[in-house]
Amino acid sequence: MEIIPLGDSALIVRVRERFEDSPEGTLDEVLRTFQQLRSAAIPSVIELAPAYTTVAVFFDPVAVAKARERPGDVFGLLREQILHVVAAGGDRGKRRKIKGAIRSVEIPVCYDPEFAPDLDDVARRAGLSTKEVVDLHSTAEYRVACIGFVPGFPFLAGLPKKLATPRRDTPRKEIPPGSVGIGGAQTGIYPLRSPGGWNLIGRTPLNLFNPKKNPPALLGAGDRVRFCPITREEFAAFAEATAAEDSLKRHVRGK
């Protein structure tokens, strides 16, 4: 395990060197380390963020310095605490199942041309028909490797190799929320209106990020995800039902 500074108020705990060698095992080990650190509740730690092979630890350097007699070595002090926490788990932590059962989430996606401006390009590069692309994309099982880029954006590992497509040479300035895209060997979903360079092949009517909910993100690291194809009509009906539900909630709160 490697622990290196990330600026003056964060550090990186590198659990493994490469994700591709063992995606499932690497993700499980990262999540175990994340949960060990979260359960330890080190007082100076503000936030933890798991990624493909690492856990980022954001901390208050003043709080770290006050906690010990050697205020000058903030990084060294926190590093000792982290190593102690991880070592305390040891083999017992490896055998233990990841806390908070990993969820299986089904995401409805409409692959209609209206929502899939890059579907033809992905199909052409893969040497497949658009239907074959949709079939491959929607029958694979994915895992959320991490959340990032914008709030709630899930980076999903498990994309069939045939569908791997380089990011667009020219990113779009604005991508609608719910857009499902392929970027390299990953697939993901844009939860918010934002710029982006991934190849768009569909859209979901689900809201992946709601700051009023706890947690605000629909998906979390480790979750298993499948995409369920829906028609344009089903997409419209789902969106309409969601809008009506939101309107009702606002009305009830206003009373």
Side-chain angles (χ1 to χ4, degrees):
M1 178 177 290
E2 180 184 26
I3 302 177
I4 57 176
L6 181 65
D8 62 356
S9 58
L11 52 81
I12 290 290
V13 180
R14 188 173 302 282
V15 178
R16 288 195 183 182
E17 191 62 33
R18 287 172 53 83
F19 180 81
E20 298 81 1
D21 293 343
S22 176
E24 286 280 329
T26 299
L27 183 53
D28 285 343
E29 193 169 340
V30 166
L31 290 175
R32 272 192 292 267
T33 301
F34 165 69
Q35 290 176 355
Q36 286 174 334
L37 293 173
R38 184 173 60 182
S39 297
I42 299 173
S44 56
V45 172
I46 300 169
E47 188 176 1
L48 300 167
Y52 284 92
T53 59
T54 64
V55 178
V57 180
F58 298 87
F59 60 89
D60 179 351
V62 176
V64 178
K66 287 181 177 178
R68 298 287 290 275
E69 296 178 355
R70 291 178 288 147
D73 186 16
V74 170
F75 173 75
L77 294 175
L78 188 55
R79 183 177 185 277
E80 287 178 12
Q81 290 178 295
I82 290 173
L83 288 174
H84 175 74
V85 168
V86 175
D91 293 335
R92 175 169 48 84
K94 291 183 179 180
R95 291 193 298 267
R96 188 174 54 226
K97 287 186 178 181
I98 298 173
K99 290 181 182 177
I102 297 301
R103 299 180 306 154
S104 293
V105 183
E106 191 172 86
I107 305 290
V109 177
C110 179
Y111 295 92
D112 188 88
E114 178 185 351
F115 302 140
D118 302 318
L119 183 57
D120 286 341
D121 291 340
V122 172
R124 191 178 308 112
R125 179 178 285 272
L128 302 170
S129 68
T130 55
K131 182 181 183 305
E132 288 173 321
V133 170
V134 171
D135 289 344
L136 266 180
H137 188 263
S138 60
T139 54
E141 182 180 71
Y142 304 91
R143 282 194 82 183
V144 180
C146 57
I147 302 292
F149 168 53
V150 295
F153 186 105
F155 288 86
L156 301 173
L159 182 73
K161 291 183 178 180
K162 269 194 170 184
L163 300 184
T165 308
R167 292 169 173 79
R168 291 167 50 84
D169 293 334
T170 305
R172 292 182 171 91
K173 294 180 180 179
E174 188 175 282
I175 292 178
S179 294
V180 177
I182 291 175
Q186 307 167 105
T187 190
I189 310 168
Y190 288 84
L192 307 172
R193 191 175 301 277
S194 65
W198 288 30
N199 303 276
L200 306 183
I201 63 168
R203 192 180 302 174
T204 178
L206 293 183
N207 182 4
L208 268 72
F209 182 78
N210 185 343
K212 296 179 181 179
K213 290 186 176 181
N214 185 23
L218 176 65
L219 299 174
D223 286 347
R224 298 189 182 277
V225 174
R226 283 189 179 276
F227 293 115
C228 173
I230 59 175
T231 64
R232 182 66 182 83
E233 291 71 26
E234 289 172 321
F235 181 96
F238 192 103
E240 184 177 339
T242 301
E245 182 180 352
D246 290 343
S247 177
L248 178 61
K249 287 179 180 178
R250 287 194 299 269
H251 177 71
V252 170
R253 284 198 300 268
K255 285 188 174 182

